[in-house]
Amino acid sequence: MKFLVNIDKVFSELLLQEDTDQDKKITKDDTGPKKFVLVDQITKQEKTIEGTYHLSNLLQELAQLKESNLIEGEINLHRILENPVERISRKIREDYWNELTRTIDKKGLAQILQDEKTSNEIPTLYVPATDPQGVAYFQELEKELRNFKVAILPENFSMEYVETLNTKPGILALALEQKIYSLQGVPFVVPGGRFNEMYGWDSYFIGVGLLIDNQLEKAMAIADNFKYQITHYGKILNANRSYYLTRTQPPLYSSLLIDIVKKKSPDFHWLKGHLETVIKEYDTVWMVQGNRLTPTGLNRYKADGVGMPFEVELGHFDDVLEPYAKKYNLPIREFEKKYLERSLIDAELDEYFVHDRSLRESGHDTTDRLINRCANLNSVDINSFLYKYEKDIAYLIREYFSNAFQVGGVAYTAEDWEQKANFRKEKINELCWNEAAGMYFDYDFVNKKQFPFEAATTFFPLWAGLCSEHQAKKLIEIALPQFIKTGGITGSTKASVAGVPENAPQRQWDYPFGWAPHQILLWEGLINYKFFDEAQEMVYRWLWLITKNAVEYNGTIPEKFDLEISSHKVFAEYGNVGTEFDYIAKEGFGWVNASYQYGLQILHNNLKEKLNVLVSPDDLF
């Protein structure tokens, strides 16, 4: 049924009555009557819309009509009364992925360059000299548009050179493809909110969601942009901005390829080119001794560069800088300026930032697990990811290349990669497994001991498939209960942050916060080891949390959650991306969108029914 209404009139009346805190949303925090009578202009038929969820749906539908500049429009009552699970999933599938899609080309450049992170008076686009096609295309575009500047990134650029770009930061170009009439940017999907660039590990999880929603071409485009970055920037970047050239992100490229080929077998040459690039990344980014490969034979995160990371807000490191400012008898801002300019150098502080940049490379920015020690750790997460790389490469060579694959003059069989995986598996279990605790811990190879911080990364070996049945059982029976809250698993246990000083910053990847990647990798690990009931429970808990917050807060789908209060209201470090919008949530947040679609693929129908009426997980499990 549809009601014809005067859009502006109903929109204004609804807000005046229901949006009592005037935040341009209708949420559980508003104190209006939570009841609004909708009247059809022609038939005069009335329909009473009740409750926060349905009223916020009405506001969203009206907001969409207003964007069309219509005076009158039809309100679809089915959309107002749509079940929450179906509505959230439909919005992700039909709207959010498209809203989050970007291209770096004539059509999409303005949206990329004109964002809140652009600090130059004239936005700068860096194009690698190794991409002559891209250089020619963007230089012509610069002449035509005159609203941005092209800068050429030299071949074999040094980290010292990258540091010089911090005074003129900009976006890094991504891949172009030849269409019928012109070159176009290969699309990518941004996380959302202020994150208006392509992020490394976010993109993998986004790709999972795209594949579920039958957007195969976009998932393949993510892989193509991964390949471009490795070819021209030497690594899959933390994100495609100039100040991220010093660091990579957790390696999930091979996992994306596996997911793509399981969805639909791609062109042979496409897959061959990507497998060559995966192996190139493995060899040149991860397996260089003394850099990210350590004497134990296991790996670490180890970003390049010197000094403070460029992307943080003013004051972010004040707790770190304050004792050094006192040491040099300088006001903190003056010390910070001198340190950034390198007119004042402190070796101890430089060492701190080696670990800080490496921590950001890990994607876990930030966690007390990695503060001031990241580069000293054979972390469970990076070695689980690389074990999966080795197994994935073996699988692809065996299944798609007749067990013979040559790259860089080296001939490989699947068995070569299985041997690498077996070696890594043995070393992880030797150095990182703790039988007494029933968990995996990062191994401090400098001090030759485990660092017993209880983090959700302890479940990554389940996802990678490297632990034994015995270890898997202990992880589920002993470790998992220590992480579970009503809405999923926390980034660390409460016990692990108990010793952190009260005046220390609250780290967003630690207790009590919950993140989509941790949930997704846990679910896959549980299914790998046939803990199907536990998988159902953990999926339900997370989807309940997303659904509850969307129902109560005008469709909000944020970056992360506070699991202690089952809320998106997070104030640690950077706040919460995906919560700032007017009237209607248009994009959600990349990997949370993906986790919702993926979780619904796993969840049994009877639990979906309970999800629609928000039955608490604590009443079910």
Side-chain angles (χ1 to χ4, degrees), residues 9 52 103 178 219 313 393 433 513:
K9 180 174 181 290
T52 295
T103 55
Q178 184 67 52
E313 296 89 346
I393 293 168
W433 174 249
F513 305 112

Side-chain angles (χ1 to χ4, degrees), residues 156-265:
N156 304 316
F157 53 84
S158 67
M159 290 304 106
E160 289 75 20
Y161 170 80
V162 173
E163 294 294 328
T164 70
L165 305 183
N166 286 348
T167 58
K168 44 189 175 181
I171 284 284
L172 300 170
L174 293 175
L176 295 166
E177 58 185 342
Q178 184 67 52
K179 293 296 187 178
I180 296 174
Y181 299 110
S182 64
L183 284 171
Q184 293 181 15
V186 173
F188 57 99
V189 181
V190 302
R194 69 174 182 267
F195 299 123
N196 192 36
E197 58 270 275
M198 180 179 175
Y199 278 81
W201 74 322
D202 292 69
S203 292
Y204 166 69
F205 295 102
I206 287 167
V208 169
L210 291 170
L211 289 169
I212 289 166
D213 286 334
N214 296 313
Q215 298 199 34
L216 175 64
E217 287 188 2
K218 275 188 188 173
M220 293 176 71
I222 288 173
D224 289 340
N225 277 313
F226 280 169
K227 181 181 178 183
Y228 182 91
Q229 290 181 40
I230 293 164
T231 301
H232 298 289
Y233 303 126
K235 59 181 76 71
I236 294 173
L237 301 169
N238 186 158
N240 63 311
R241 288 188 187 268
S242 55
Y243 45 78
Y244 291 136
L245 282 165
T246 62
R247 58 184 186 258
T248 185
Q249 282 264 279
L252 287 155
Y253 186 8
S254 72
S255 292
L256 180 59
L257 294 183
I258 295 291
D259 291 348
I260 287 170
V261 300
K262 287 183 176 177
K263 185 78 172 180
K264 181 183 178 182
S265 291

Side-chain angles (χ1 to χ4, degrees), residues 570-616:
V570 172
F571 304 103
E573 295 190 293
Y574 305 103
N576 208 353
V577 182
T579 60
E580 297 296 323
F581 59 87
D582 294 341
Y583 312 121
I584 179 170
K586 290 189 173 182
E587 56 186 30
F589 193 86
W591 58 25
V592 181
N593 297 343
S595 72
Y596 203 79
Q597 303 300 69
Y598 182 53
L600 288 178
Q601 299 288 300
I602 300 170
L603 201 63
H604 293 159
N605 286 333
N606 66 314
L607 288 176
K608 290 178 188 176
E609 292 171 8
K610 295 184 185 302
L611 195 58
N612 263 320
V613 292
L614 294 178
V615 176
S616 172

